[in-house]
């Protein structure tokens, strides 16, 4: 296995600024990269401070982009997105504020087609069993029980999951 020399703080800053200019990253991700590259532990806070000062790294901007991607493209619910952001050590105040910007109607608009599609493949002996399976599915996607109930009530009105 080839040995690599530890990266200097200047090299780390140059590489991280280029990386952060291409896509959003949070402070935790940046610190993790520096650890992987072997940047001295005492130099990491200074490099991070320069990146934050230069607005290359901004946890709020990262959270906003992350929420947008995961909700709209990956079709995740609030709880799953929240857990993913907290695992990346984004502040809970930032997470709550950004997630509150996504309306319940957006979650309903995302979950309704997911439930409709899932309903086609669910085999159940009763409506109650089908409802429980669909609820478990939606919970695994990170949706709150209030949103799930709303979607299932709308589905019952449309009769699409009673097939």
């Amino acid at each position: 296995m080839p040995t690599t020399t530890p990266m200097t703080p200047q090299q780390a800053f140059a590489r991280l600024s280029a990386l952060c200019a291409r896509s959003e990253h949070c402070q935790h991700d940046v610190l993790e990269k520096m650890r992987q590259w072997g940047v001295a532990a005492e130099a990491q806070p200074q490099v991070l401070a320069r990146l934050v000062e230069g607005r290359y790294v901004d946890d709020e901007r990262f959270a906003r982009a992350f929420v947008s991607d995961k909700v709209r493209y990956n079709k995740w619910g609030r709880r799953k997105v929240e857990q993913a952001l907290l695992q990346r050590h984004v502040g809970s105040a930032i997470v709550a504020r950004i997630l509150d910007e996504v309306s319940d109607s957006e979650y309903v608009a995302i979950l309704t087609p997911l439930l409709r599609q899932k309903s086609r493949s669910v085999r159940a002996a009763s409506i109650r069993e089908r409802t429980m399976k669909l609820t478990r599915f939606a919970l695994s996607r990170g949706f709150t029980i209030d949103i799930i109930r709303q979607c299932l009530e709308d589905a019952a009105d449309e009769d699409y999951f009673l097939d």
Side-chain angles (χ1 to χ4, degrees), residues 11-160:
Q11 291 170 323
F13 177 78
R15 197 161 167 194
L16 286 168
S17 60
L19 180 71
C20 292
R22 282 187 303 245
S23 63
E24 295 296 337
H25 294 277
C26 63
Q27 292 181 22
H28 177 73
D29 291 346
V30 169
L31 287 171
E32 195 58 38
K33 284 279 187 203
M34 284 192 277
R35 269 188 226 98
Q36 289 173 1
W37 295 339
V39 176
E42 57 276 354
Q44 291 176 11
Q46 288 117 0
V47 173
L48 179 61
R50 282 181 61 198
L51 289 167
V52 170
E53 186 179 304
R55 303 227 354 114
Y56 289 104
V57 176
D58 183 348
D59 278 355
E60 186 167 340
R61 193 176 60 215
F62 168 78
R64 197 173 305 283
F66 188 87
V67 167
S68 176
D69 285 351
K70 297 304 178 188
V71 169
R72 288 172 184 88
Y73 300 117
N74 294 36
K75 301 188 184 328
W76 285 6
R78 180 185 176 97
R79 298 288 175 229
K80 192 168 184 174
V81 173
E82 182 177 33
Q83 287 302 312
L85 285 170
L86 291 176
Q87 281 182 335
R88 289 172 174 236
H89 303 280
V90 175
S92 57
I94 293 172
V95 172
R97 187 172 56 247
I98 301 298
L99 286 172
D100 287 343
E101 293 175 4
V102 181
S103 68
D104 286 352
S105 61
E106 269 188 81
Y107 289 121
V108 169
I110 290 166
L111 182 57
T112 300
L114 286 174
L115 288 176
R116 182 174 285 129
Q117 183 178 7
K118 181 68 175 174
S119 178
R120 291 185 196 123
S121 65
V122 169
R123 299 291 170 240
S126 67
I127 292 174
R128 183 178 189 286
E129 183 182 353
R130 178 179 293 270
T131 302
M132 293 306 296
K133 287 182 177 186
L134 291 173
T135 301
R136 256 184 265 121
F137 166 74
L139 285 170
S140 74
R141 297 297 295 248
F143 290 94
T144 60
I145 198 69
D146 297 337
I147 300 296
I148 297 168
R149 281 190 184 129
Q150 184 178 347
C151 289
L152 289 175
E153 286 170 8
D154 293 346
D157 292 342
E158 295 178 19
D159 292 333
Y160 72 72

Side-chain angles (χ1 to χ4, degrees), residues 3-8 11 37-38:
T3 58
T4 59
T5 58
M7 194 177 284
T8 66
Q11 291 170 323
W37 295 339

